[in-house]
């Protein structure tokens, strides 16, 4: 699958026209369904064969020891790992006592289709058993956006050419075997049968199971209920044990007759509630699903997605590959956040066990921009989750001997889970990334309630950390030393440009928010002197600059580091697996965009000439061993006029998972890269920026795109931007808010766009100041052509 496309290019679906068992784990990730609370990997209904079985509940985890060769003060002692909870997807079929298994008999046809508009996964199979009995199997699966705890499967068996007895075994199984997620035997031991049986309950047409995680103590409940439609009598029996429950349905079918089973699933977990309360909660969710029925769940799923696509769709003419990819990415970003409701948004969503199910700065940096502009309620919930972890961030800062809050590099529930010091402790920019996400949400939505409820406190506590970290030199310049920026190949450095600029943004945002809410800021202990110190640091922040080269070093002295031997290392990527970090730290080699990301997010601090020179310099030294990088390189290459190169980078991020470019899609999708397809299109070619409280649009299309249309939510309005080869048209429709117009900068010109009064302006192609740059040997993005 890696590097090639098993999926036909279609605008609204991802289709697998034939089953390829060699890439089963990758397709399980691609076909995963979630609503942000419940996640189901796209395993086959019968469970076997499988790559990685997976049923996940957001923030349900098990504890595990963190490995250290030599411990140190402040090192986290315990990690958190996502748990494969009770699997309710299983529906096994026996045809005249022979199990339906795609590896046996004759599989005449097999297709799976992820429908991005309906929000369902459809599967069809035409199979002949070893004994010659032919059946057609169809299933449709969904995880409900409308009913947060609910997933459902409609399963249908048709006898084709002979009288056939079919047996359907619908199951829930806890502690199913999963492949090891780590080479550390202690991790494997922690996740081997992590669930302890607590209770079980047999109900009419179904059952419930309750388990507790062995070490974290979290309680989980899972339940199933069945509705059966058959042409003849169906014998039904349910058996319940500690770790599994099975409902068996037996029916005789004549040729052309069908047995249909609608299976409702419900999940819940808690760290505080009793097993009885959780059991009743899941039973109630099952009853609600049964009342809605399968058809009702399908209708509500489509209604939710219709509203999302109406306000967030991106239309691309001239590049059908990108058209499919951007909708696929938007769909999975929505799935990750729609009903997360103050839980973390993991880097893999709920699509697989990769990264142990942890959330990183990817959430605020890459995923929340998309949600803020398309599904702002989900973005607000994600920021409220960060606030819920503030006590742990304060505790972490105290452990490190600093005031304020230090948010974790990687976590599930809020505690730091990184055993890698330079990336974990020194990447303080996570604080500023959170502050930027808060600022973006306020400006884009016009909603101050989040800032009042929790945002101000987050801004204040993150600002206090920066003042403790930074210092003024004898000339008054403000520096931040001993940090790691986004590029983890250059660790624990002084004056990382990205970190300094983001820290300054954080400090200004905190001071401005305190000015908007003076009484609340006083309640938080903020004095005029403290706010003034924040502004002074931000105003005097130091940005290294190499006068001789005419570029910004990404950190102090970076441009005097030794050049990396790209010729000798061209077959050794990713470098973190083939080169010692002590060598990487001393050389001009970048894992991912760092200074270039600073220009993307803080572009007002750089001139056009500086942007062009910096892009040229860092293109030649960035190896993109992270899937985060291509998006930013696409955006900034577009801004400096390298539109075709930007188009190439767009393709790279667009196909990260659809073609498994990183070789690890089997562990789950790359949520930030999926969000990055939107970013490369809307921020790159659409030129979307926020400058202060002003919305900027400066579109430029590469030759390969004939038209780009994208939709945004702005202060409750629905804004449409339609760019073709000659002009850009902006129009708005009334939405949920009171506003009926928007003021913005369009290609540098202030315009007023009101409901029913679109604005049309021409645009001209931006010419690059420098020739197209080259990349390290073997690291150029593939051409989109």
């Amino acid at each position: 699958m890696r590097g090639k496309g098993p999926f036909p290019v279609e605008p609204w679906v991802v289709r697998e026209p034939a089953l390829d068992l060699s890439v089963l784990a990758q397709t399980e990730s691609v076909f995963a369904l979630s609503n942000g609370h419940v996640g189901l990997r796209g395993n086959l209904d019968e469970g076997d064969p499988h790559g990685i079985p997976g049923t996940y509940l957001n923030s349900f985890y098990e504890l595990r020891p963190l490995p250290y060769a030599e411990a140190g003060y402040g090192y986290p002692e315990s990690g958190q790992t996502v748990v494969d909870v009770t699997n309710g997807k299983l529906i096994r079929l026996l045809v005249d006592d022979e199990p339906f298994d795609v590896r046996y008999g004759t599989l005449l046809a097999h297709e799976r289709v992820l429908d991005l508009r309906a929000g369902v996964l459809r599967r069809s199979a035409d199979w002949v058993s070893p004994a010659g009995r032919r059946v057609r199997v169809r299933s449709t699966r969904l995880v409900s956006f409308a009913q947060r705890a609910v997933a459902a499967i409609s399963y249908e068996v048709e006898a084709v050419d002979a009288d056939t007895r079919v047996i359907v075994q619908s199951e829930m199984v806890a502690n199913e075997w999963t492949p090891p997620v780590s080479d550390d035997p202690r991790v494997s031991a922690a996740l081997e049968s992590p669930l302890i049986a607590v209770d079980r309950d047999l109900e009419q047409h179904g059952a419930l199971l309750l388990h507790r995680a062995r070490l974290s103590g979290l309680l989980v409940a899972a339940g199933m209920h069945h509705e059966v439609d058959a042409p003849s009598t169906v014998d039904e029996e349910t058996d319940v044990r500690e770790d599994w429950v099975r409902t068996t349905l037996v029916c005789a079918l004549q040729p052309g007759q069908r047995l249909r089973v609608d299976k409702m699933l419900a999940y819940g977990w808690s760290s505080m509630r009793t097993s009885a309360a959780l059991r009743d909660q899941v039973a109630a969710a099952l009853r609600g699903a049964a009342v809605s029925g399968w058809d009702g769940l399908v209708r509500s799923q489509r209604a939710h997605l219709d509203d999302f696509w109406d306000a967030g769709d991106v239309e691309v003419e001239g590049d059908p590959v990108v058209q499919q990819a951007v909708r696929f990415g938007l769909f999975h970003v929505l799935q990750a956040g729609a009903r997360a409701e103050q839980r973390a948004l993991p880097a893999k969503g709920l699509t697989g066990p990769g990264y142990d199910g942890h959330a990183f700065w990817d959430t605020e940096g890459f995923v929340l921009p998309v949600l803020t502009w398309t599904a702002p309620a989900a973005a607000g919930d994600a920021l409220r989750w960060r606030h819920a972890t503030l006590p742990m961030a304060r505790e972490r800062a105290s452990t490190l001997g600093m005031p304020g809050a230090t948010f974790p590099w990687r976590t599930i529930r809020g505690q730091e889970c990184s055993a890698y010091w330079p990336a974990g402790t020194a990447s303080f920019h996570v604080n500023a990334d959170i502050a930027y996400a808060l600022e973006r949400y306020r400006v884009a939505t016009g909603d101050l309630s989040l800032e009042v409820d929790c945002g101000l406190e987050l801004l204040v506590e993150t600002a206090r950390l920066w003042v403790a970290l930074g210092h003024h030199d004898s000339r008054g310049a403000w520096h931040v030393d001993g940090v790691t920026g986004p590029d983890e190949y250059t660790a624990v450095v002084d004056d990382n440009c990205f970190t300094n600029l983001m820290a300054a943004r954080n400090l200004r945002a905190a001071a401005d928010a305190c000015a908007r809410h003076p009484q609340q800021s006083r309640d938080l202990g903020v004095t005029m002197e403290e706010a003034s110190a924040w502004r002074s640091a931000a105003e005097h922040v130091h940005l290294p600059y190499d006068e001789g080269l005419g570029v910004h070093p990404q950190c102090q002295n970076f441009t005097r580091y030794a050049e990396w031997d790209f010729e000798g290392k061209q077959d050794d990527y990713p470098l973190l697996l083939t080169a010692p970090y002590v060598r990487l730290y001393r050389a001009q080699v970048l894992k991912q965009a760092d200074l270039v990301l600073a220009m993307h997010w803080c572009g007002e601090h750089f001139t056009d000439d500086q942007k062009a020179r910096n892009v040229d310099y860092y293109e030649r030294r960035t190896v993109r061993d992270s899937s985060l990088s291509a998006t930013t390189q696409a955006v900034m290459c577009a801004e400096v006029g390298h539109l075709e190169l930007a188009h190439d980078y767009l393709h790279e991020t667009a196909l990260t998972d659809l073609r498994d470019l990183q070789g690890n899609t089997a562990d789950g999708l790359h949520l930030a890269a999926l969000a990055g397809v939107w970013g490369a299109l809307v921020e790159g070619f659409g030129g979307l920026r926020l400058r202060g409280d002003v919305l900027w649009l400066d579109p430029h299309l590469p030759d390969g795109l004939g038209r780009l249309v994208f939709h945004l939510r702005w202060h409750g309005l629905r804004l449409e931007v339609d760019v073709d080869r000659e002009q850009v048209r902006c129009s708005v429709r009334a939405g949920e808010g009171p506003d009926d117009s928007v003021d913005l900068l369009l290609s540098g010109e202030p315009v007023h766009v009101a409901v029913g009064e679109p604005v049309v302006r021409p645009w001209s192609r931006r010419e690059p100041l420098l020739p197209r740059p080259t990349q390290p040997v073997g690291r150029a993005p593939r051409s989109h052509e």
Side-chain angles (χ1 to χ4, degrees):
M1 183 176 182
R2 188 173 183 180
K4 62 181 181 180
F7 309 112
V9 176
E10 302 176 62
W12 282 106
V13 302
V14 178
R15 182 189 312 275
E16 181 193 46
L19 187 63
D20 182 353
L21 296 182
S22 70
V23 295
L24 191 58
Q26 291 96 315
T27 56
E28 288 169 352
S29 298
V30 169
F31 290 137
L33 295 176
S34 172
N35 61 8
H37 176 58
V38 179
L40 308 180
R41 275 179 66 83
N43 306 114
L44 301 177
D45 299 294
E46 55 274 14
D48 294 317
H50 64 253
I52 302 175
T55 302
Y56 310 110
L57 293 178
N58 194 338
S59 297
F60 188 90
Y61 67 93
E62 183 58 302
L63 295 172
R64 61 174 178 81
L66 286 175
Y68 295 104
E70 183 176 345
Y73 176 78
Y75 284 18
E77 297 178 358
S78 181
Q80 301 162 356
T81 298
V82 65
V83 174
D84 176 22
V85 300
T86 311
N87 181 5
K89 303 187 298 290
L90 293 170
I91 301 179
R92 306 191 198 276
L93 171 66
L94 291 92
V95 179
D96 283 351
D97 297 327
E98 291 188 284
F100 168 47
D101 189 315
V102 296
R103 296 167 294 187
Y104 304 107
T106 303
L107 190 63
L108 300 176
H110 191 280
E111 182 180 72
R112 287 187 289 178
V113 178
L114 180 63
D115 188 326
L116 306 176
R117 284 186 289 195
V120 299
L121 175 64
R122 299 189 184 94
R123 179 196 185 195
S124 62
D126 193 343
W127 181 74
V128 180
S129 73
R133 287 288 186 266
R134 183 180 177 186
V135 294
R136 294 191 181 100
V137 179
R138 303 175 185 87
S139 69
T140 306
R141 182 185 300 175
L142 65 81
V143 177
S144 177
F145 290 121
Q147 299 186 41
R148 181 174 184 251
V150 170
I153 304 167
S154 183
Y155 190 87
E156 184 179 88
V157 185
E158 177 188 356
V160 177
D161 52 13
D163 291 350
T164 305
R165 184 183 63 178
V166 299
I167 302 172
V168 172
Q169 295 175 316
S170 175
E171 302 183 17
M172 292 194 306
V173 178
N175 289 319
E176 61 184 340
W177 181 87
T178 59
V181 297
S182 170
D183 293 332
D184 186 338
R186 293 170 295 179
V187 177
S188 298
L191 295 180
E192 183 177 348
S193 299
L195 301 178
I196 301 172
V198 173
D199 198 1
R200 56 188 186 269
D201 192 12
L202 179 65
E203 299 198 344
Q204 186 179 19
H205 306 305
L208 289 91
L209 295 176
L210 283 90
H211 287 79
R212 189 180 302 278
R214 190 178 303 275
L215 299 178
S216 69
L218 302 178
L219 187 67
V220 59
M224 68 179 185
H225 172 83
H226 304 88
E227 298 288 343
V228 179
D229 182 22
S232 59
T233 301
V234 176
D235 181 75
E236 179 178 343
E237 180 183 66
T238 299
D239 191 9
V240 183
R241 305 293 173 90
E242 282 192 346
D243 278 354
W244 60 265
V245 55
R246 179 176 62 224
T247 294
T248 303
L249 305 166
V250 183
C251 181
L253 297 178
Q254 297 176 4
Q257 290 185 332
R258 302 174 182 178
L259 168 67
R260 171 175 159 175
V261 181
D262 292 339
K263 181 178 185 179
M264 309 296 177
L265 297 167
Y267 289 91
W269 73 267
S270 179
S271 60
M272 297 180 290
R273 305 185 71 201
T274 64
S275 59
L278 197 59
R279 177 201 64 207
D280 292 348
Q281 174 188 335
V282 169
L286 279 177
R287 183 57 188 161
V291 169
S292 296
W294 172 257
D295 291 341
L297 290 173
V298 169
R299 284 194 300 271
S300 62
Q301 191 83 340
R302 180 60 184 253
H304 188 100
L305 282 163
D306 282 348
D307 182 67
F308 172 72
W309 292 120
D310 179 65
D313 188 25
V314 176
E315 302 170 63
V316 180
E317 289 186 5
D319 193 332
V321 170
V322 168
Q323 178 65 89
Q324 180 187 47
V326 68
R327 286 177 174 147
F328 174 73
L330 281 167
F331 177 75
H332 274 290
V333 168
L334 177 68
Q335 285 202 128
R339 300 303 302 271
E341 296 178 7
Q342 299 186 45
R343 300 291 184 193
L345 301 189
K348 295 280 190 176
L350 299 180
T351 68
Y355 303 131
D356 287 320
H358 291 166
F360 297 76
W361 67 287
D362 307 17
T363 298
E364 285 80 15
F366 296 87
V367 178
L368 290 198
V370 180
L371 289 175
T372 298
W373 292 110
T374 62
D381 280 338
L383 291 167
R384 291 179 188 276
W385 165 71
R386 281 293 191 185
H387 180 260
T389 69
L390 182 58
M392 288 168 274
R394 286 194 181 108
E395 182 180 354
R396 181 66 176 160
S398 178
T399 298
L400 299 176
M402 290 180 287
T406 301
F407 283 93
W409 171 248
R410 58 188 301 169
T411 188
I412 293 179
R413 291 292 299 278
Q415 298 90 348
E416 178 62 77
C417 293
S418 176
Y420 177 50
W421 194 88
T425 300
S427 294
F428 294 104
H429 69 82
V430 178
N431 271 25
D433 304 330
I434 295 168
Y436 186 26
L438 284 162
E439 183 184 13
R440 183 193 305 111
Y441 177 88
R442 175 187 62 81
V443 173
T445 65
D447 175 20
L448 286 178
S449 64
L450 180 67
E451 184 171 273
V452 171
D453 293 344
C454 62
L456 178 64
E457 189 175 20
L458 280 169
L459 291 170
V460 166
E461 295 297 340
T462 50
R464 284 171 170 162
L465 180 85
W466 288 119
V467 169
L469 281 174
H471 66 95
H472 291 273
D473 64 18
S474 59
R475 298 180 180 180
W478 189 70
H479 303 265
V480 183
D481 298 330
V483 301
T484 300
D487 171 32
E488 295 145 30
Y489 287 174
T490 312
V492 194
V493 298
D494 297 339
D495 285 324
N496 171 256
C497 282
F498 175 87
T499 302
N500 282 12
L501 286 174
M502 291 296 289
R505 179 191 290 277
N506 190 162
L507 292 165
R508 283 192 298 270
D512 290 346
C514 287
R516 286 191 293 272
H517 311 285
Q519 182 56 56
Q520 192 176 355
S521 68
R522 286 192 291 270
D523 294 341
L524 293 171
V526 180
T527 64
M528 292 181 62
E529 291 76 15
E530 185 175 25
S532 178
W534 296 344
R535 292 191 187 279
S536 176
E539 182 180 351
H540 295 96
V541 65
H542 175 65
L543 288 188
Y545 188 72
D546 187 319
E547 296 285 353
L549 292 174
V551 299
H552 289 83
Q554 76 172 30
C555 62
Q556 193 67 45
N557 296 322
F558 179 82
T559 51
R560 72 167 180 80
Y561 288 3
E563 295 285 358
W564 184 257
D565 179 15
F566 293 110
E567 292 283 348
K569 280 288 186 180
Q570 57 184 292
D571 297 322
D572 293 340
Y573 298 101
L575 292 177
L576 75 165
L577 300 180
T578 62
Y581 271 102
V582 69
R583 288 190 60 210
L584 296 172
Y585 291 163
R586 298 157 47 207
Q588 292 191 56
V589 55
L590 283 72
K591 179 181 181 183
Q592 63 201 70
D594 190 306
L595 188 282
V596 173
L597 182 61
M599 296 192 299
H600 177 189
W601 291 3
C602 305
E604 63 273 21
H605 294 277
F606 302 87
T607 67
D608 289 345
D609 180 70
Q610 289 172 343
K611 290 176 183 177
R613 291 182 178 277
N614 286 335
V615 165
D616 186 79
Y617 190 85
Y618 288 99
E619 276 293 299
R620 304 171 191 275
R621 292 162 174 81
T622 304
V623 296
R624 297 192 319 287
D625 282 347
S626 166
S627 61
L628 300 181
S629 194
T631 295
T632 297
Q633 289 174 267
V635 171
M636 289 311 302
C637 284
E639 182 167 337
V640 301
H642 299 308
L643 295 173
E644 303 312 315
L645 179 56
H647 198 174
D648 291 343
Y649 280 126
L650 165 61
H651 263 248
E652 181 170 305
T653 193
L655 297 176
T656 297
D657 289 313
L658 287 174
R659 296 191 183 174
D660 194 21
L661 298 185
Q662 297 279 323
N664 57 5
T665 295
D667 294 336
L669 302 179
H670 299 77
L671 196 61
L674 293 172
V677 188
W678 181 95
L681 284 167
V682 175
E683 298 178 338
F685 298 135
L688 172 69
R689 299 287 189 278
L690 284 178
R691 294 289 185 259
D693 288 358
V694 179
L695 176 65
W696 286 43
L697 292 168
D698 191 13
H700 296 82
L701 296 186
D703 292 339
L705 298 186
R707 186 167 174 245
L708 172 65
V709 183
F710 56 90
H711 303 80
L712 308 170
R713 294 180 187 257
W714 173 268
H715 290 223
L717 291 169
R718 302 194 178 199
L719 173 65
E720 179 183 273
V721 182
D722 186 340
V723 188
D724 62 23
R725 298 303 308 171
E726 297 180 351
Q727 62 185 25
V728 54
R729 181 182 187 272
C730 295
S731 59
V732 295
R733 289 182 290 128
E736 300 82 7
D739 295 342
D740 62 358
S741 64
V742 55
D743 292 300
L744 56 87
L745 280 176
L746 182 58
S747 299
E749 175 191 352
V751 298
H752 179 80
V753 188
V755 173
E757 300 176 13
V759 171
V760 179
R761 294 290 187 273
W763 66 270
S764 57
R765 183 182 177 96
R766 178 183 289 122
E767 296 301 327
L769 297 178
L770 297 173
R772 174 170 170 155
T774 59
Q775 291 73 40
V777 177
R779 304 309 288 168
R782 300 183 186 190
S783 172
H784 62 275
E785 297 176 351

